[in-house]
Amino acid sequence: MSGVMKRMGMIFRAKANKALDRAEDPRETLDYSYQKQLELLQKVRRGVADVATSRKRLELQLNQLQNQSTKLEDQGRKALALGREDLAREALSRRAALQQQVTDLETQHQTLQGEEEKLTLAAQRLQAKVDAFRTKKETIKATYTAAQAQTRIGEAFSGISEEMGDVGMAIQRAEDKTAQLQARAGAIDELLASGALDDQSGLAKDDIQSELDRLSGGTDVELELQRMKAELAGGSPQQAIEGGTGQSTSQSQQQDTPRFDKQ
């Protein structure tokens, strides 16, 4: 059972992989990767901006603390000049506390400045990689599009493409049907001519009737010719016809009478 499940899982993964290969467009994949790199670059830039903002805030605090330290130092000098040593001592004590804060802020400022430089360098390197990837992406897309177009043109010329294959099959079917109908029509004509098939419409004639019609048609022509000759000669058309008929009969009898050669 375990082996069957493993096999089914492998078949499913193979078919899913094949379906994904057919559905995947390398150009879309490249555009998606480029978009993700742009998003990462944007995050790095935002990080640089955040670090720079924190550094700037520390610089403002340092300036304020330094101003306060300078002010306390001046107050201590004035108090000492006026003979108020206690006030001078208090001013110097406050100034010492401010100096400790200044030292801590300066350390943080240096740390932030180092992080900012690192992020700025990383952003610059990432920007260069993104630009290079964009150039390569456009080159690959153009090459892929050209290869795809060339493949389609080649398939169209060779007739192995899906569309041209359907057209070719339709043409082949039409030619096969046409040849079949032509062969059937020719066979029927031959069968009708040989008398193997009867013409149910009554329009077709057998060979004897055809010969009789031909002979009677020739006689009608001869009669019409004799009538026209009689009209030209001034005679009666009926006499010309009878004469012509008799002449034709005599000629026919002469042709039918056998001749014996004298030896």
Side-chain angles (χ1 to χ4, degrees), residues 227-250:
R227 186 182 65 81
M228 294 176 66
K229 287 181 177 180
E231 290 179 354
L232 292 175
S236 173
Q238 184 65 29
Q239 294 175 357
I241 293 173
E242 291 176 355
T245 305
Q247 185 178 0
S248 295
T249 303
S250 175

Side-chain angles (χ1 to χ4, degrees), residues 48-67:
V48 173
D50 293 339
V51 172
T53 301
S54 299
R55 175 184 57 79
K56 192 64 177 178
R57 189 180 298 113
L58 285 179
E59 290 177 354
L60 293 175
Q61 292 179 0
L62 281 173
N63 290 331
Q64 291 177 358
L65 291 177
Q66 288 174 356
N67 291 333

Side-chain angles (χ1 to χ4, degrees), residues 25 30 50 72 92 121-122 126 128 136 174 185 189 204 207 210 212 234 246:
D25 190 343
L30 290 172
D50 293 339
L72 288 173
L92 292 176
L121 182 60
L126 183 59
K136 187 174 182 180
D189 290 340
D207 52 349
S210 298
L212 292 174

Side-chain angles (χ1 to χ4, degrees), residues 28 39 76 143 170 206 213 226 232 240-241 247:
E28 295 177 354
E39 292 177 0
T143 305
D206 55 14
D213 292 342
Q226 293 299 328
L232 292 175
I241 293 173
Q247 185 178 0

Side-chain angles (χ1 to χ4, degrees), residues 36-191:
K36 287 297 182 183
Q37 291 185 13
L38 288 178
E39 292 177 0
L40 179 59
L41 179 60
Q42 189 66 23
K43 289 180 180 179
V44 173
R45 288 176 176 175
R46 283 199 297 268
V48 173
D50 293 339
V51 172
T53 301
S54 299
R55 175 184 57 79
K56 192 64 177 178
R57 189 180 298 113
L58 285 179
E59 290 177 354
L60 293 175
Q61 292 179 0
L62 281 173
N63 290 331
Q64 291 177 358
L65 291 177
Q66 288 174 356
N67 291 333
Q68 291 179 6
S69 177
T70 302
K71 182 179 179 180
L72 288 173
E73 183 179 2
D74 293 339
Q75 288 177 349
R77 288 177 180 177
K78 290 180 180 180
L80 189 61
L82 294 174
R84 295 292 306 270
E85 186 176 347
D86 55 341
L87 291 177
R89 185 178 290 105
E90 181 65 22
L92 292 176
S93 297
R94 293 180 181 180
R95 181 176 179 276
L98 289 177
Q99 283 298 120
Q100 183 63 37
Q101 294 181 12
V102 169
T103 302
D104 294 339
L105 288 178
E106 286 178 349
T107 302
Q108 294 180 12
H109 180 269
Q110 292 177 358
T111 302
L112 287 176
Q113 192 171 8
E115 292 295 330
E116 183 182 357
E117 292 176 356
K118 290 181 181 179
L119 288 175
T120 302
L121 182 60
Q124 292 174 353
R125 291 178 178 176
L126 183 59
Q127 180 67 56
K129 289 184 178 180
V130 170
D131 293 339
F133 180 79
R134 179 179 179 276
T135 303
K136 187 174 182 180
K137 172 182 73 73
E138 295 299 328
T139 302
I140 293 175
K141 286 176 62 178
T143 305
Y144 179 84
T145 303
Q148 189 180 44
Q150 186 175 2
T151 302
R152 289 179 177 174
I153 293 173
E155 289 179 350
F157 275 114
S158 60
I160 62 175
S161 64
E162 231 178 274
E163 296 82 0
M164 295 303 296
D166 295 339
V167 173
M169 291 177 64
I171 294 174
Q172 185 63 39
R173 288 194 298 270
E175 290 178 349
D176 292 342
K177 289 183 178 180
T178 302
Q180 184 178 1
L181 291 175
Q182 289 176 346
R184 184 176 179 85
I188 292 174
D189 290 340
E190 291 179 359
L191 291 174

